[in-house]
Amino acid sequence: DPQTNYLFVKLLGWGCLAFVLAFLINNFLHIYFDFPPALSISSSNVGNFFVPAIIYLATVAFFIYWFVLTSKETLREQSKKLHIFNCFLIRWFFFSILLVGIADVIIAFLRVEKLLPLLFSKELVSAFNKPLFVGSYVHVPLIAVSFIISLFSKTLGFTWLALMIVLAELLIVITRFVFSYEQPFMADLVRYWYAGLFLFASAYTLYDEGHVRVDVVYAGLSEKSKGLVNAIGSVILGLSTCITIIIVGFNGKTAILNKPVLVFEISQAGTVGMFVKYHLAYFLGIFAITMFIQFVSYFLISVADYKGHSGARKVSVNASH
């Protein structure tokens, strides 16, 4: 079947994913286990070179194995697999911010209204005022629970999250103008969920052709030409932008996305706000990672469109998953 060829196209897509995966694994080991930095493979220090090199080589070996195993699949089949995996990641992140947001705003309310001493011991009350404790013993377990939920759930949850943002904003309006009550944690919750909605939904929006195209040429092109434009744009504009965010944001403990997470950074509101500001830093990283995966998927399917392969998907902007 000629549709199962294009090995270079597949190798380019999967090779990019292999590099990003190795980079992120090394970044995790560097942050929490003091392994050498993710890009120290280019360092002249032999000791710093060894561990990252092993991680990169092992990841590349796995992807070569996967590449050979799936070499008979068409570009569209591989693109669909990447999209399905990306949807799983998005579900996981959605449920994470849903559960963490609800739990953290409840804790913040109890903390602000001095209700924690009525429910917990003095030691635990003191712990709930520390971002490190809340992040480690409330947020992390909820993120783990969200992972399990995402394995069984089939919804991406964007509609429900948008509804909850509206309800949270409505609650602020009611409490402010009817009861003259407003606390920083209430606005924190809206910003937290809205940031997640905007950044996590971007990858699926790309899949659904929902992003705005500012052009005067593309709409009039043939399907073959559109495929070529999308393939080139995915690599030159999409993947390059995402990889830049990933490398700059995750390269070392002092990187702009790693540092807030390491110190469990909170907003200037302090203990009267939610302890989720450090999550917002990683939201940008999640955006870059999910968009990177989706751009690889988009690249594969765009090449298939350019080559006129059968099975083209009819895109509807209002389609739901």
Side-chain angles (χ1 to χ4, degrees), residues 218-267:
Y218 181 84
L221 296 177
S222 65
E223 292 302 317
K224 181 176 181 178
S225 298
K226 287 181 179 179
L228 180 62
V229 170
N230 290 335
I232 295 175
S234 294
V235 175
I236 296 180
L237 301 178
L239 293 180
S240 62
T241 301
C242 294
I243 197 66
T244 300
I245 297 173
I246 292 170
I247 291 177
V248 172
F250 292 113
N251 188 33
K253 294 184 178 181
T254 59
I256 58 175
L257 299 185
N258 283 334
K259 188 175 181 179
V261 176
L262 285 174
V263 299
F264 289 91
E265 183 178 347
I266 61 175
S267 66

Side-chain angles (χ1 to χ4, degrees), residues 17 20 29 34 68 76 102 109 137 139 147 149 156 175 188 207 219 231 291:
L17 292 172
V20 169
L29 295 175
D34 290 323
V68 173
R76 296 195 190 280
I102 293 174
F109 172 76
Y137 295 100
H139 296 172
F147 178 85
I149 294 175
L156 293 178
T175 56
D188 286 347
Y207 168 79
M291 284 294 285

Side-chain angles (χ1 to χ4, degrees), residues 8 15 17 29 32 44 52 55-56 58-59 63 71 73 84 93 118 151 154 161 168 172 186 221-222 250 255 280:
F8 174 77
L17 292 172
L29 295 175
Y32 295 106
S44 58
I55 294 174
Y56 282 106
T59 307
F63 271 88
S71 60
E73 294 180 349
I84 291 173
F93 300 140
L118 302 177
L151 291 174
K154 298 302 180 181
L161 183 57
I172 291 177
M186 301 168 72
L221 296 177
S222 65
F250 292 113
L280 298 178

Side-chain angles (χ1 to χ4, degrees), residues 10-33:
K10 298 175 182 177
L11 187 61
L12 176 61
W14 289 103
C16 290
L17 292 172
F19 171 79
V20 169
L21 178 60
F23 180 85
L24 293 175
I25 291 174
N26 206 133
N27 174 72
F28 176 82
L29 295 175
H30 169 63
I31 291 177
Y32 295 106
F33 299 98

Side-chain angles (χ1 to χ4, degrees), residues 94-104 142-143 145-146 149 193:
F94 161 71
F95 283 113
S96 294
I97 65 172
L98 173 66
L99 298 183
V100 169
I102 293 174
D104 203 281
L142 288 176
I143 292 172
V145 170
S146 301
I149 294 175
W193 277 346

Side-chain angles (χ1 to χ4, degrees), residues 71-126:
S71 60
K72 298 300 182 181
E73 294 180 349
T74 66
L75 294 175
R76 296 195 190 280
E77 289 172 340
Q78 294 198 346
S79 174
K80 185 177 180 180
K81 282 188 175 181
L82 285 174
H83 171 67
I84 291 173
F85 174 73
N86 217 21
C87 286
F88 163 74
L89 290 181
I90 294 170
R91 283 198 303 273
W92 179 21
F93 300 140
F94 161 71
F95 283 113
S96 294
I97 65 172
L98 173 66
L99 298 183
V100 169
I102 293 174
D104 203 281
V105 78
I106 292 174
I107 294 173
F109 172 76
L110 295 175
R111 188 167 54 235
V112 169
E113 298 303 325
K114 312 297 184 183
L115 298 176
L116 286 173
L118 302 177
L119 303 173
F120 305 104
S121 65
K122 183 178 180 180
E123 292 77 12
L124 202 53
V125 170
S126 176

